[in-house]
């Protein structure tokens, strides 16, 4: 009697292990296909003193993802610009502009997109992000 009891218990836990592995596989597939909110600069956010070239080189962004710019709206803003205006740090002709302090920016076209801070001096000091967005 005692032996039969253990045997049943053993086969029961083997079934739930397989079930667990199946659930984990489904979760991994779902996660890789899902859209993500990606916080620019990670825990540092959008601010002075962060190297956004380094951050961008370590970050994969896809067209389904949303970039989140987190910053103090008293100190900074977010200006989407052309390539030329990016290299010149010219925020006068924005393609888009945000200033809430938590801005959600989605680039629906693949390619390199350019974002700078429009506060005078900040772009030249390094608050500029060129991000390659993949399809
Ligand atoms: Cu700024």
């Amino acid at each position: 009697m005692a032996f039969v009891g253990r045997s049943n218990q053993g086969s029961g836990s083997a079934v739930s292990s397989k079930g667990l592995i199946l659930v984990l596989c489904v979760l991994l597939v779902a996660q890789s296909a899902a859209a993500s909110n990606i916080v620019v600069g990670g825990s540092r956010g959008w601010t002075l003193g962060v190297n956004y070239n380094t951050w961008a080189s370590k970050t994969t962004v896809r067209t389904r993802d949303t970039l989140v710019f987190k910053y103090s709206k008293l100190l900074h803003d977010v200006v989407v610009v052309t390539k030329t205006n990016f290299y010149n740090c010219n925020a006068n002709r924005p393609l888009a502009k945000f200033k809430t302090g938590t801005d959600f920016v989605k680039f629906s076209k693949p390619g390199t997109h350019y974002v700078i801070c429009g506060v005078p001096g900040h772009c030249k000091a390094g608050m500029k992000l060129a991000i390659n967005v993949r399809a």
Side-chain angles (χ1 to χ4, degrees):
M1 263 322 240
F3 175 77
V4 171
R6 270 201 301 262
S7 177
N8 285 344
Q9 205 173 28
S11 98
S13 68
V15 168
S16 51
S17 295
K18 277 182 200 162
L20 184 64
I21 289 167
L22 183 67
V23 167
L24 286 173
C25 288
V26 169
L27 283 175
L28 282 172
V29 169
Q31 195 173 37
S32 65
S36 302
N37 280 351
I38 299 171
V39 178
V40 174
S43 59
R44 301 286 310 275
W46 182 237
T47 189
L48 290 165
V50 177
N51 187 328
Y52 292 102
N53 286 331
T54 304
W55 180 83
S57 71
K58 290 188 284 186
T59 307
T60 301
V61 179
R62 298 188 185 279
T63 49
R64 61 175 173 260
D65 297 326
T66 299
L67 290 178
V68 185
F69 290 82
K70 289 187 175 179
Y71 58 96
S72 166
K73 63 182 177 183
L74 300 175
L75 300 177
H76 306 293
D77 63 10
V78 170
V79 185
V80 181
V81 296
T82 62
K83 184 178 183 177
T84 299
N85 287 339
F86 175 83
Y87 287 106
N88 292 328
C89 283
N90 180 359
N92 291 332
R93 289 171 182 236
L95 301 174
K97 193 168 179 176
F98 306 88
K99 203 176 169 47
T100 70
T102 306
D103 303 326
F104 297 85
V105 181
K106 192 170 179 177
F107 293 109
S108 52
K109 283 185 183 172
T112 306
H113 296 271
Y114 302 92
V115 182
I116 64 175
C117 178
V119 174
H122 288 197
C123 172
K124 282 183 179 158
M127 269 188 90
K128 56 192 303 191
L129 169 69
I131 188 79
N132 179 37
V133 177
R134 301 187 199 181

